[in-house]
Amino acid sequence: MTTTSPGAVLVLGGARSGKSAFAERVVTESGLARHYIATGRAWDDEMAARIAHHRESRGKGWTTHEVPLDLVGTLRQIDSAENTVLIDCMTLWVTNLMMEERDMAHEFATLGAHIETAVARLILVSNEVGLGIVPENRMARDFRDHAGRLHQLIAAKAGEVYFIAAGLPLKMKG
């Protein structure tokens, strides 16, 4: 049986759909202390620029944690009823886990268990990558499959799920 966490929110959408801006509004409206877990790694200059842009656009009032791998360890450290935690983004975390050849099933199960017991409000942002064509190479197909499994797990546990398209939120659950 899956335990649903009313304080967990999954925000899905495509690239440049407005999901991060939506998630940031949800966090700000909570009135709680704002924590931002950034899972992205600056593999190249473009990604470094994207990270800098996200940091700048958030503005002041956020505590930022750069966490490419140990997501649950960081979540445990800041798990408090006074905190809202935005994790952006889950698909970058999947990429990092794959690059480090981590046990995906174990990592996902550990995150799922934490979502069920967390007292902090969790806002999890992720790219929906399963709506397009079947990727042509094995690694890309594995990535799509891992992301899809992770989304299903989080959606089952989250109290609310939103799909964002063209900056418009569609509430799918909650």
Side-chain angles (χ1 to χ4, degrees):
M1 183 174 138
T2 299
T3 302
T4 300
S5 171
V9 178
L10 174 60
V11 179
L12 289 169
R16 302 291 165 261
S17 63
K19 60 192 175 299
S20 293
F22 174 81
E24 289 171 14
R25 281 193 307 275
V26 170
V27 172
T28 301
E29 291 169 2
S30 76
L32 300 171
R34 296 178 282 174
H35 288 262
Y36 188 98
I37 295 180
T39 61
R41 287 178 163 168
W43 296 105
D44 57 27
D45 290 342
E46 180 201 2
M47 190 61 177
R50 285 177 184 244
I51 290 169
H53 172 75
H54 267 278
R55 191 178 296 127
E56 183 179 310
S57 69
R58 270 194 310 277
K60 295 183 182 351
W62 292 82
T63 301
T64 300
H65 311 266
E66 296 192 8
V67 184
L69 293 168
D70 189 19
L71 180 56
V72 175
T74 301
L75 288 170
R76 286 179 181 142
Q77 290 175 7
I78 59 176
D79 193 29
S80 166
E82 288 117 34
N83 294 337
T84 297
V85 181
L86 188 150
I87 305 149
D88 197 352
C89 99
M90 301 310 300
T91 43
L92 289 174
W93 183 60
V94 168
T95 298
N96 296 336
L97 295 174
M98 288 179 70
M99 297 302 284
E100 299 291 330
E101 299 182 359
R102 300 289 275 269
D103 180 340
M104 304 302 273
H106 172 75
E107 297 284 350
F108 293 179
T110 303
L111 175 62
H114 180 77
I115 291 170
E116 290 180 353
T117 62
V119 295
R121 182 156 168 80
L122 303 177
I123 315 300
L124 302 100
V125 176
S126 200
N127 293 296
E128 177 51 64
V129 296
L131 298 174
I133 62 172
V134 175
E136 69 177 20
N137 67 72
R138 172 75 187 252
M139 184 175 189
R141 287 189 300 274
D142 287 348
F143 170 77
R144 178 209 51 198
D145 293 348
H146 290 312
R149 283 190 211 63
L150 179 61
H151 295 159
Q152 289 180 57
L153 177 124
I154 296 170
K157 295 179 183 304
E160 296 177 42
V161 177
Y162 293 88
F163 185 81
I164 312 298
L168 302 172
L170 171 64
K171 191 170 193 178
M172 300 174 69
K173 178 182 177 183

